[in-house]
Amino acid sequence: MLIAGPRQAGKTTLARQVSGSDRPFITLDDVGTLNAARTDPIGFIRGIKRAVIDEVQRAPELILAIKESVDREDEPGRFLLTGSANLAAVPAFADSLAGRMAVIPLLPFAQSEIQSTPGRLLDRLFAGEEPSAGENTVVGDELLLTVLQGGYPESLRRPTPGRRTAWLEDYVKLILDRDVRDIANIDQLDRLPRLLDVLANTPENWSIIAVSVRRSCRASPHRNTWLSLSASF
């Protein structure tokens, strides 16, 4: 089973809460553990009956070892994985675990979760009810502030817009400096911030995104990889 979602969305916290005391917690954010997993993935997995493996995208080498272990002993739920990328878009993951892995997407908080309300908008729409403004409807400047705050728990803990902006900038830098390098060996990583700016201002149309990537990476032989990364994050 894989809990998939962006960094800081709460994957590790959720995995710790639902895993029992009989399931060891292994994080690949630990340098020694990561090196061991990359150096000898089969030996790393061998002998593990069940475990939580956190940030599994950092060691793609583990996937074939997990596949082999699951094929030998197919008890459901042996491995609870967390990943900060859309692993279905990363060939090394998708090809190895297709049909063997249940994926639970975990996104940052929705506004209904932040406000501890039921959040029944979709239920009402599908039931044919007309949407109506509630007592606590947010409009104007307050709505703009709510949108800019987003739903990341760590961002919401920052009390001022300046501190939230600084956290988000550090967040993007961490993804570009570490997560992208973990799942793809590509050049011209210095162009990724510009590409992110383009994507942030592009409608959700894959053909337009593909054109943006190709324009940003004209001289790079890794344009297809860049497209895959755009889908992964």
Side-chain angles (χ1 to χ4, degrees):
M1 182 176 295
L2 170 70
I3 302 175
R7 278 191 173 276
Q8 300 294 329
K11 301 181 303 299
T12 300
T13 301
L14 177 61
R16 287 186 181 277
Q17 288 178 347
V18 301
S19 61
S21 57
D22 62 330
R23 187 186 296 268
F25 187 91
I26 302 168
T27 177
L28 298 184
D29 277 339
D30 179 82
V31 175
T33 303
L34 178 61
N35 287 338
R38 287 175 171 173
T39 302
D40 183 13
I42 294 177
F44 187 88
I45 293 298
R46 184 182 293 127
I48 295 181
K49 176 68 175 176
R50 53 178 56 221
V52 177
I53 302 180
D54 190 38
E55 301 296 351
V56 70
Q57 83 283 345
R58 304 206 67 198
E61 302 87 349
L62 281 181
I63 298 305
L64 284 177
I66 292 174
K67 173 183 177 294
E68 180 187 11
S69 179
V70 170
D71 285 345
R72 279 191 283 104
E73 187 176 349
D74 60 354
E75 177 190 347
R78 287 182 55 209
F79 293 97
L80 175 58
L81 313 176
T82 77
S84 295
N86 178 8
L87 302 183
V90 181
F93 289 89
D95 295 345
S96 299
L97 293 179
R100 295 178 174 86
M101 179 174 66
V103 179
I104 301 175
L106 183 68
L107 297 175
F109 290 136
Q111 287 303 308
S112 59
E113 293 173 308
I114 295 173
Q115 299 173 16
S116 299
T117 57
R120 294 185 57 249
L121 174 61
L122 290 179
D123 293 335
R124 290 172 177 168
L125 291 176
F126 280 114
E129 300 178 21
E130 293 187 7
S132 58
E135 297 179 0
N136 299 319
T137 301
V138 177
V139 296
D141 291 342
E142 190 177 354
L143 175 60
L144 178 60
L145 179 61
T146 298
V147 172
L148 293 177
Q149 282 179 335
Y152 285 98
E154 287 299 324
S155 176
L156 292 170
R157 289 192 179 103
R158 272 61 179 176
T160 65
R163 291 185 60 186
R164 285 191 292 273
T165 298
W167 183 87
L168 291 168
E169 289 173 347
D170 290 340
Y171 177 87
V172 171
K173 186 175 185 299
L174 174 64
I175 291 177
L176 298 183
D177 288 348
R178 190 172 77 173
D179 288 357
V180 171
R181 295 179 191 275
D182 284 338
I183 67 172
N185 181 22
I186 59 175
D187 61 1
Q188 300 179 342
L189 282 177
D190 58 306
R191 295 192 179 187
L192 269 177
R194 185 170 54 142
L195 175 60
L196 286 179
D197 288 339
V198 172
L199 297 180
N201 291 281
T202 300
E204 256 188 72
N205 184 312
W206 185 246
S207 62
I208 296 176
I209 291 175
V211 170
S212 300
V213 171
R214 292 189 179 101
R215 286 176 177 171
S216 299
C217 321
R218 249 183 226 130
S220 174
H222 302 291
R223 285 181 298 180
N224 289 337
T225 306
W226 286 61
L227 280 170
S228 178
L229 286 173
S230 301
S232 298
F233 293 96

